[in-house]
Amino acid sequence: MQSNAAVKVVKFGGSSLADAEHFKKVADIIKADPSRRYVVPSAPGKRFGGDSKVTDMLYECYDRVVNNNDYTDILDKIKERYDLIIKGLELNLSLDKEFSAIESILSNRASCDYVASRGEYLNGLILASYLGFSFIDAADVIFFDSDGLLDSEKTNKVMCKKLSHYEYAVIPGFYGSACDGSTKTFSRGGSDITGSIIARAVEADIYENWTDVSGVKMVDPRIVENPKTISVITYSELRELAYMGATVLHEDAIFPVRLTGIPINIKNTNRPDDEGTMIVLQAPDDDVRNEITGIAGKKGFSVINIVKDMMNSEVGFGRKVLSILEKYKISFEHIPSGIDSMGVIVSSALLAESRERVINELSCEIVPDCISIEDNIALVAVVGRGMVESVGIAARIFKAIGEAGINVRMIDQGSTENNIIIGISANDLENTIKAIYYEFDGKENS
Ligand code: ASP
């Protein structure tokens, strides 16, 4: 960007753009700060419990086409959703032409990605018209390579050049162009990635990601009622929590902004004055380091237990085990080991297909004294930059778990010392998270 004025990229999720009332809130937020220049909308989300997301309706539409079922009623419902928004905003805008185009492409067997992408595309047209901003089709500025992965460098170059001609613009989230020119989407929730790509291209001062919660919670609110909000979290802490199941941003949304250290601010469209959570490359100098930043956990793991006398002195033992897993495309999560035993923690779903073959090959190749698989393991990650070089935190974590009567199956501390991973029985997942949270939140364990 040539000018020195602040630039903010703002992405609004589906719940923030579900109906006309929310569009008005979004416009108020954007107009309140002239540096909010590049806007990325999702497709309309649910308006109430039991409602449907437009993206889900579009996928349903596509399924019906593929199965030769009538799809017109569902397409009419989608059109109704957009027409209601247009009417509520009193816009002089018609999407008839766009819907005819969608219908004709649908009857000619449109691709699934094309159909799904229309949710963001149409919402972008409405938002651009309501704000009086230019509309830029994401298909012209976001590109995928022949492996279907984001072509970051081409995208950055084209996006940079294109946006330098626009002071204010709306760019729909979630999709771009494949290398054959067809429309291609990211995986679900991918508008977060679009926002991040744009923030990198315009060298934004901040990427604001607006949703319906006031930031990232220390733990899943379905497990602990009303948990604390994290005010500052680093990209790497967030990656640890997201990998373990915390759903805040799309996993891949971190990468483009991380390259240039642009902070992400998670904000609440319904409570715009709340500070939300800042996601940063490095904690600020005056960082208030909480002992723990967050806790997350995930079920669905298995341990392959291998026992063999003198394993520790058998050079190449670990390599043999891992190369068999590699052959079956099973990545490992953790490898806790003793002198004569080794456990390999893997995703149960990844193991399912080749379970018998893996055991047979391991038995032949490494001739163990004993080999078995234990399922129903859950992993809990306790994450925090405040743990680095702090004394006594691990002791408190394990005391809390012990007092809750939970048996620990595995312990692993990352080499960066900002996470401790604990393996437990899947049935103990919720209680483990609660026990640790209440230990550090200072409340009574319940
Ligand atoms: N609309 C898409 C979805 O529901 C993408 C997004 O909202 O980010 O997954």
Side-chain angles (χ1 to χ4, degrees):
M1 287 266 98
Q2 285 88 6
S3 108
N4 288 328
V7 179
K8 292 181 180 168
V9 170
V10 285
K11 179 255 164 178
F12 291 89
S15 58
S16 300
L17 292 165
D19 54 26
E21 286 322 300
H22 279 89
F23 264 73
K24 289 178 187 166
K25 289 186 195 178
V26 164
D28 286 345
I29 290 167
I30 295 168
K31 298 286 169 154
D33 182 348
S35 59
R36 294 188 172 125
R37 292 176 41 193
Y38 300 108
V39 184
V40 178
S42 282
K46 293 184 184 181
R47 294 160 293 183
F48 43 82
D51 194 18
S52 302
K53 291 181 177 183
V54 165
T55 307
D56 290 331
M57 295 163 87
L58 288 162
Y59 280 121
E60 158 88 28
C61 209
Y62 175 77
D63 280 348
R64 293 213 200 161
V65 174
V66 170
N67 294 311
N68 288 322
N69 290 327
D70 180 34
Y71 62 85
T72 44
D73 60 323
I74 185 126
L75 196 61
D76 286 347
K77 276 197 196 131
I78 296 171
K79 184 158 190 305
E80 236 170 69
R81 291 275 313 253
Y82 286 109
D83 283 343
L84 262 178
I85 296 174
I86 293 172
K87 196 164 162 234
L89 299 176
E90 297 174 41
L91 283 176
N92 183 15
L93 175 74
S94 161
L95 296 179
D96 290 351
K97 229 176 63 210
E98 281 73 18
F99 272 93
S100 312
I102 294 171
E103 213 166 340
S104 94
I105 297 179
L106 266 176
S107 39
N108 287 313
R109 290 280 157 114
S111 78
C112 181
D113 282 12
Y114 167 80
V115 178
S117 72
R118 296 305 86 185
E120 275 60 21
Y121 175 80
L122 297 168
N123 232 19
L125 288 175
I126 299 177
L127 188 59
S129 159
Y130 189 51
L131 294 170
F133 284 14
S134 303
F135 174 83
I136 295 175
D137 190 347
D140 298 334
V141 280
I142 292 187
F143 303 96
F144 294 87
D145 64 20
S146 52
D147 294 325
L149 301 172
L150 174 71
D151 186 337
S152 320
E153 292 325 305
K154 178 175 176 192
T155 297
N156 194 50
K157 213 165 128 201
V158 175
M159 179 84 77
C160 225
K161 187 153 180 244
K162 180 89 173 174
L163 294 185
S164 67
H165 302 298
Y166 295 88
E167 205 179 352
Y168 292 96
V170 171
I171 308 104
F174 192 38
Y175 70 94
S177 289
C179 53
D180 63 359
S182 62
T183 301
K184 176 160 174 54
T185 62
F186 292 107
S187 53
R188 297 297 305 265
S191 303
D192 286 338
I193 309 173
T194 310
S196 184
I197 291 169
I198 297 171
R200 175 190 171 199
V202 301
E203 293 170 23
D205 295 271
I206 193 162
Y207 167 25
E208 290 179 345
N209 190 296
W210 293 80
T211 172
D212 55 2
V213 287
S214 295
V216 185
K217 300 288 178 193
M218 264 185 83
V219 288
D220 186 337
R222 288 168 300 185
I223 296 178
V224 169
E225 210 181 308
N226 205 11
K228 279 185 185 160
T229 300
I230 301 169
S231 58
V232 178
I233 185 168
T234 63
Y235 294 145
S236 58
E237 287 175 311
L238 187 70
R239 288 264 308 141
E240 301 278 357
L241 290 177
Y243 182 68
M244 251 350 146
T247 48
V248 185
L249 274 181
H250 190 293
E251 255 201 280
D252 297 340
I254 296 287
F255 299 113
V257 285
R258 186 160 146 158
L259 283 172
T260 39
I262 298 164
I264 307 174
N265 193 187
I266 308 283
K267 299 270 287 176
N268 187 346
T269 302
N270 302 311
R271 296 174 58 98
D273 294 333
D274 287 358
E275 297 210 330
T277 299
M278 286 297 278
I279 307 170
V280 296
L281 182 60
Q282 258 177 344
D285 292 342
D286 58 349
D287 187 26
V288 184
R289 294 208 302 180
N290 294 320
E291 294 152 307
I292 277 181
T293 305
I295 312 160
K298 203 155 86 169
K299 294 181 184 174
F301 295 98
S302 301
V303 195
I304 306 172
N305 286 311
I306 304 165
V307 180
K308 186 174 186 186
D309 272 350
M310 310 287 286
M311 176 193 286
N312 63 320
S313 55
E314 193 176 322
V315 175
F317 189 90
R319 179 186 50 75
K320 286 182 199 158
V321 171
L322 294 184
S323 58
I324 291 169
L325 292 179
E326 184 182 357
K327 179 172 161 195
Y328 290 99
K329 299 197 162 29
I330 301 168
S331 61
F332 70 90
E333 306 287 331
H334 301 277
I335 310 187
S337 59
I339 304 174
D340 295 328
S341 68
M342 173 175 176
V344 187
I345 300 192
V346 297
S347 144
S348 308
L350 279 182
L351 181 63
E353 221 177 279
S354 44
R355 199 177 165 101
E356 297 308 321
R357 276 170 288 158
V358 167
I359 291 293
N360 286 341
E361 276 191 44
L362 284 171
S363 301
C364 292
E365 186 70 23
I366 58 174
V367 199
D369 298 334
C370 177
I371 182 161
S372 62
I373 297 181
E374 194 181 334
D375 297 311
N376 293 321
I377 297 289
L379 297 178
V380 171
V382 185
V383 175
R385 59 193 181 280
M387 299 197 304
V388 181
E389 289 173 17
S390 291
V391 175
I393 293 191
R396 283 173 64 194
I397 292 173
F398 293 107
K399 182 170 155 278
I401 300 177
E403 282 174 359
I406 294 160
N407 181 32
V408 173
R409 295 278 298 100
M410 186 225 47
I411 303 168
D412 194 356
Q413 180 172 46
S415 57
T416 49
E417 240 195 284
N418 73 354
N419 68 348
I420 293 176
I421 313 277
I422 302 149
I424 37 139
S425 156
N427 297 334
D428 290 327
L429 178 64
E430 282 81 11
N431 285 339
T432 304
I433 292 178
K434 275 187 195 164
I436 302 169
Y437 178 77
Y438 288 126
E439 165 65 28
F440 287 89
D441 193 36
K443 282 189 216 149
E444 271 290 275
N445 198 346
S446 57

